[in-house]
Amino acid sequence: AALPLTPNGKVDRAALPAPGGQRPDLAGEYVPPSTPAQELLAGAWAQVLGTDRVGVHDNFFDLGGHSLLATRVISRVRDVLGVEVPLAALFDHPTVAGLAAAIEAAGPGTVARPVTVASRDGVLPLSFGQQRLWFLDQLEPGSAEYVALVPVRLGGDVDVAALGLALGAVVARHEVLRTRLVADGDGTARQVVDPPSPFPLPVADVSGVPDPVGAVRALAVSVAGRAFDLAAEPVIRGWLVRGEAAGQVLALAVHHVAFDEWSDGIFRRELAALYEAFRAGRADPLPPLGVQYADFAIWQRQWLSGQVLEGQLAYWRERLAALPVLELPADRPRPPVRSTAGAVTGFSVPAATAAGLRAVAREGGATMFMVLLSALAVLLGRYCGTDDVVAGTPVANRNRAETEGLVGFFVNTLVMRADLSADPSFTGLLARVRETALGAYAHQDLPFERLVDELSPERDRSRTPLFQVLFNYFAREERDLAGQVPADGRDGDGAASDGAVGGREEAAVPGRGEAVTKADLRVILTEGGGGLAGLVEYSTALFDAATAERIAGHLGVVLEAVAGDPGRRLSGLPLLTAPEREQLAAWSETPPAPEAVAAGGVHGLVAAQAAARPDAVATGSGGAWVTYGGLWERAGRLAGYLRSAGAGPESVVGLCLERGTEMTVAMLAAWLAGAAYLPLDPGYPVGRLAFMLADSGAVMVAGASGTLGALPAGRLRAVELDDPAVAAAVAACPPVPAAGGVEPGRLAYVMYTSGSTGAPKGVQVTHGGLANLAAAQRALLGGGGGAVLQFASAGFDAWAWELVMALAAGGTLVTAAEAERADPVRLAGLAAARGVAVATVPPSLLDVLRPGDLAGGGTRVTAGERLGGGAARAWGAGRRLLNAYGPTETTVCASAGDVDPGYPGAPPIGRPIAGTR
């Protein structure tokens, strides 16, 4: 009728009745074991799962099993049956009957000898894990990076003498807690075990200070923030902190060479048992340990050699061949030496989403760890633009029964590689990750440091080796076994949780103000309250807090989508949170281009300017200038000739001309003929020009004899515009009038970019896009009409930006000759002489010019490259500076914004221009 409670109102677990065996929520009747193998397996499962009995058809994972408990089952199978069973066998055969049949079919295998007590007469070697941490300590002496904070809350009146005795007994019980790492003359280190001694426990009373909680925090940080001398002092120390408002806290610090997260749970349980016994005057209640950590280190060195070592290395060499580097989109450039300074942000996953994820795991024969790692891989793949995602994950590495009760540094790090190629469904990705995880578990004995030596002989001190992201998942049972998940993400491998001694549970003791991060990014998820609690630990040298919060939000969106529809392909999984989607919608609320402009096209706007102001100067270079009337007549006659030569709607005409008026005339002529133009820069390699002509399907190529001579036109018709016969024919053609309208979707030009694959990529730009660009430019620049510098080459889309800006608005297009483009001084002189009002230049040119070189109020537009903070401050002062951005596909420009010279760092790229979303 009611759960039994302790005097403090907590559930009294000891008073709960024993479970009735078969759980009522599991279908099917209990079927007892019928063979010796089944009986032994059922007993091992019951011991690990903490239940009275297990039937032969009960599913291990339905009974609450997970990968950590599965490892313990395999360890017990090794002990009781004398066979080595791969972990994957339990996942593939998750019932007692199925696993027993698989074991019988496989037959006996090679079983590693057990860990036994080793002689203490010789040198005690370090374990592989200790060796790595000792080396790092030698590399950075005085570093507290691998010091774990173990705050223990104390309830009631604390018996300080009993507590000190209990601490001393735990240290005496576990040799590794009284072990020093001493270097020999040859540079190698060995373990030196000191005899047991009393545990010094200073007491600090903070009752009278103004901020006792802050004082507790400061003292805890000071305890954990001081490095250990591994050769000269014990690897554990602590203080008892007392305060009326802050309670009583045992603040312990221990070095990772003797401690990991699993050790944290053992330490707390044994300390509580010993303290209660000593306070009551009873003897030590704990059974003696069969082996010590030094015995494991000797066993590990002996076992992991020869064929065993080579087999593990061969697996990882093949699995991690050509390992990629994840270039996460950071807020700042990566420092040359990786910083360990970090911070943490928390998030939560609702219970309904977590339940859906558990269902996905059951359906896929996987664990929650595998599901969550798959979702993280989706997020990282999207961030980094890759189908090959790598993450590290710590594992307890206690896959032998002899090590389950030992304090020590056993934890290992596995490298998980997820293949997202071919856009599978999430369930398809989960199957791949499941296979990867099971293979990694089967080869988890190879120490990470040995793997690094094998695969990364040349170290990059700016990043962690092999992976840049860490992932942890703690099931509720795992959390109970290995201590609580770090409440503030302070540490990666060791204990950072808050346990209770004395029967009292209070608010967590604040830990370090900053996290020590062992990777660029670390994501931690743990079960709690039906949902999941999460932490994002991040390097503050790379990421801002707002970025970490966005990462957490995006992961939550992916998890929710996966829980709702795991059959969806990865490309269809959403990423943005609802507020981000709303923000994008708000940013995209820009008015469309006017229909009249879209119907007439840009050349219709130029025609209107020619009709209204025929004598106004339209364009020119050096001493040759042409009016709008003259420009339009020349373009109209050339259009007639091009039509007679085969140009028409949707055809492509290649234009291979030097920069200047002739190129502008030819472009307008192609449009009037109904065709699109393809700019062919005479300075490009011949092979690239040949590819562009063939790939675009051009029907002809027009140019001057000097530019067409080396052009591989092949069977295309080549029109030499400077040929006297052609010039006479063009002059004889009646001008083609401007059409009343042009379909917005009609092709205007084809612009070739470098392409992400290495081959040039032809982007098709429409008249509607150009018309919208003209309208957006008027909105940005207030109507235009002044002199516009044409700096870009015709093969770059900024050329169209400059031409439209000038001619569609009735301005003058001032074309810089090649000599002026190459000489900043001459370029500045041209701009001053022609009174250039608008100049669009790349940031690299701003870096070599002085703000005074381009004199006048005017507007300066920068695009094509990232604008740095220094150039923004220099050029944004005293004049208008626009920072524009856009890929070629968006018709030159997608966004633009005024630069604030006082903005810290690189300025934003602005908001979408009119008609763009």
Side-chain angles (χ1 to χ4, degrees):
L3 293 175
L5 303 179
T6 67
N8 292 328
K10 304 295 182 181
V11 174
D12 188 351
R13 296 180 180 274
L16 289 169
Q22 182 71 9
R23 279 172 37 181
D25 58 333
L26 298 179
E29 297 181 358
Y30 169 74
V31 178
S34 59
T35 68
Q38 289 180 356
E39 188 171 346
L40 291 171
L41 285 175
W45 286 25
Q47 182 184 13
V48 169
L49 294 169
T51 186
D52 285 351
R53 65 182 186 178
V54 174
V56 295
H57 300 308
D58 291 342
N59 187 292
F60 177 79
F61 298 101
D62 288 343
L63 291 174
H66 47 74
S67 57
L68 182 58
L69 292 180
T71 301
R72 299 181 71 191
V73 165
I74 296 302
S75 173
R76 278 156 178 74
V77 169
R78 183 191 302 117
D79 291 340
V80 300
L81 293 179
V83 294
E84 195 73 45
V85 180
L87 187 64
L90 181 53
F91 280 82
D92 294 334
H93 308 283
T95 65
V96 168
L99 185 59
I103 292 173
E104 292 170 359
T110 303
V111 180
R113 68 175 183 82
V115 181
T116 57
V117 177
S119 171
R120 296 298 193 270
D121 293 337
V123 172
L124 297 180
L126 307 187
S127 70
F128 290 114
Q130 284 181 319
Q131 180 177 299
R132 172 168 62 96
L133 294 187
W134 177 81
F135 173 78
L136 293 175
D137 184 74
Q138 301 302 300
L139 188 65
E140 296 185 45
S143 171
E145 179 178 357
Y146 290 94
V147 177
L149 175 64
V150 187
V152 182
R153 297 187 304 272
L154 302 170
D157 294 328
V158 176
D159 186 330
V160 179
L163 181 60
L165 289 174
L167 285 166
V170 174
V171 174
R173 176 177 172 81
H174 295 277
E175 284 184 354
V176 71
L177 293 176
R178 44 191 173 88
T179 295
R180 293 175 290 113
L181 307 187
V182 178
D184 289 329
D186 60 358
T188 60
R190 56 188 170 87
Q191 298 189 55
V192 175
V193 181
D194 292 328
S197 61
F199 190 92
L201 186 61
V203 179
D205 194 326
V206 296
S207 300
V209 301
D211 180 15
V213 174
V216 171
R217 179 188 297 112
L219 186 54
V221 169
S222 68
V223 169
R226 183 166 58 87
F228 284 95
D229 184 343
L230 297 180
E233 64 178 324
V235 292
I236 184 171
R237 60 170 174 261
W239 285 72
L240 176 61
V241 188
R242 302 176 121 168
E244 294 178 1
Q248 301 180 88
V249 176
L250 176 62
L252 297 171
V254 60
H255 198 283
H256 270 314
V257 293
F259 213 78
D260 58 16
E261 207 142 24
W262 186 296
S263 302
D264 179 70
I266 296 171
F267 186 93
R268 293 173 189 277
R269 288 192 297 271
E270 293 187 353
L271 178 64
L274 290 165
Y275 174 69
E276 293 298 334
F278 293 162
R279 186 171 62 172
R282 299 193 303 270
D284 182 342
L286 301 177
L289 296 172
V291 295
Q292 291 287 339
Y293 186 81
D295 301 317
F296 163 77
I298 294 172
W299 173 89
Q300 183 189 47
R301 293 277 180 176
Q302 293 173 346
W303 177 72
L304 198 60
S305 61
Q307 290 185 343
V308 174
L309 175 61
E310 186 52 41
Q312 296 253 343
L313 283 172
Y315 170 83
W316 288 109
R317 284 193 205 103
E318 187 275 331
R319 182 64 193 149
L320 303 182
L323 199 67
V325 174
L326 284 188
E327 293 293 352
L328 295 167
D331 296 305
R332 283 171 291 282
R334 181 179 297 277
V337 177
R338 187 183 72 85
S339 169
T340 62
V344 176
T345 188
F347 66 101
S348 62
V349 178
T353 299
L357 295 171
R358 296 186 192 102
V360 172
R362 286 194 300 271
E363 289 295 322
T367 63
M368 272 288 277
F369 167 83
M370 298 171 187
V371 171
L372 297 171
L373 177 61
S374 299
L376 179 61
V378 172
L379 181 68
L380 296 175
R382 195 80 63 84
Y383 280 165
C384 301
T386 180
D387 290 335
D388 193 355
V389 174
V390 181
T393 185
V395 290
N397 199 31
R398 296 183 187 241
N399 51 4
R400 309 198 62 81
E402 305 95 313
T403 63
E404 289 182 3
L406 293 182
V407 168
F409 184 64
F410 294 88
V411 69
N412 196 14
T413 302
L414 300 182
V415 183
M416 299 288 187
R417 191 172 187 178
D419 176 12
L420 282 62
S421 63
D423 192 24
S425 65
F426 183 82
T427 52
L429 172 63
L430 178 60
R432 297 177 184 178
V433 170
R434 177 184 184 272
E435 179 183 4
T436 295
L438 292 177
Y441 295 152
H443 299 83
Q444 65 176 288
D445 294 300
L446 185 71
F448 178 72
E449 52 276 2
R450 183 68 177 83
L451 185 61
V452 172
D453 290 340
E454 180 71 18
L455 299 180
S456 299
E458 295 184 7
R459 302 295 174 87
D460 179 359
R461 296 194 68 190
S462 70
R463 65 182 79 237
T464 51
L466 304 188
F467 58 80
Q468 288 72 56
V469 177
L470 272 168
F471 174 66
N472 287 75
Y473 164 69
F474 294 87
R476 181 175 301 159
E477 295 84 355
E478 290 178 278
R479 195 178 56 197
D480 293 339
L481 286 168
Q484 301 293 318
V485 64
D488 60 1
R490 292 185 300 276
D491 220 314
D493 301 326
S497 58
D498 298 319
V501 173
R504 182 178 170 197
E505 296 186 5
E506 297 178 345
V509 177
R512 293 175 182 160
E514 295 182 350
V516 175
T517 179
K518 295 180 172 61
D520 293 352
L521 201 66
R522 181 186 179 209
V523 177
I524 306 168
L525 285 163
T526 183
E527 298 279 353
L532 299 172
L535 292 172
V536 173
E537 178 186 279
Y538 57 97
S539 168
T540 51
L542 298 176
F543 301 103
D544 293 331
T547 301
E549 291 169 2
R550 282 198 298 274
I551 292 171
H554 294 164
L555 181 58
V557 170
V558 173
L559 292 174
E560 182 180 5
V562 166
D565 183 8
R568 192 185 308 188
R569 292 199 174 275
L570 302 187
S571 59
L573 291 173
L575 198 70
L576 301 182
T577 62
E580 285 175 328
R581 290 195 300 270
E582 293 171 2
Q583 180 65 78
L584 283 181
W587 280 343
S588 294
E589 289 176 356
T590 57
E595 292 184 5
V597 174
V602 168
H603 50 295
L605 295 176
V606 179
Q609 293 293 338
R613 305 167 59 239
D615 296 328
V617 176
T619 184
S621 178
W625 298 87
V626 62
T627 64
Y628 271 93
L631 176 67
W632 192 249
E633 181 179 359
R634 290 172 60 180
R637 294 186 186 280
L638 180 56
Y641 182 83
L642 295 178
R643 276 188 180 178
S644 67
E650 295 301 324
S651 65
V652 176
V653 176
L655 302 180
C656 190
L657 290 157
E658 300 290 350
R659 56 189 294 107
T661 301
E662 295 303 323
M663 184 65 176
T664 304
V665 169
M667 181 213 72
L668 291 172
W671 286 346
L672 281 171
Y677 73 89
L678 167 67
L680 299 166
D681 192 324
Y684 280 180
V686 172
R688 180 181 174 94
L689 295 175
F691 173 84
M692 293 163 62
L693 283 169
D695 186 65
S696 65
V699 298
M700 70 177 69
V701 58
S705 56
T707 59
L708 293 180
L711 191 67
R715 299 172 62 182
L716 287 178
R717 177 167 182 175
V719 179
E720 293 187 3
L721 299 179
D722 57 350
D723 182 289
V726 173
V730 169
C733 284
V736 174
V742 62
E743 289 295 327
R746 178 179 288 182
L747 190 62
Y749 62 83
V750 179
M751 184 71 63
Y752 276 81
T753 67
S754 58
S756 58
T757 63
K761 178 183 66 174
V763 177
Q764 302 178 84
V765 179
T766 65
H767 280 284
L770 278 177
N772 185 82
L773 180 65
Q777 287 174 337
R778 285 202 302 274
L780 278 172
L781 303 172
V788 175
L789 178 67
Q790 187 164 65
F791 176 81
S793 63
F796 184 50
D797 58 0
W799 188 82
W801 162 270
E802 295 162 343
L803 183 141
V804 170
M805 186 186 298
L807 301 185
T812 300
L813 186 65
V814 180
T815 302
E818 287 295 347
E820 292 165 329
R821 293 181 74 243
D823 186 343
V825 176
R826 295 184 64 179
L827 181 67
L830 172 66
R834 303 305 304 184
V836 168
V838 182
T840 302
V841 292
S844 55
L845 182 59
L846 294 182
D847 290 337
V848 298
L849 288 171
R850 295 168 300 181
D853 290 340
L854 297 181
T859 300
R860 305 295 174 252
V861 183
T862 182
E865 300 163 356
R866 183 174 184 266
L867 176 62
R873 287 187 291 273
W875 285 85
R879 67 176 53 78
R880 188 183 186 199
L881 179 64
L882 281 173
N883 191 25
Y885 165 82
T888 304
E889 291 83 345
T890 61
T891 312
V892 187
C893 186
S895 66
D898 282 286
V899 172
D900 176 4
Y903 187 87
I909 58 172
R911 294 190 176 189
I913 64 172
T916 304
R917 65 182 182 90

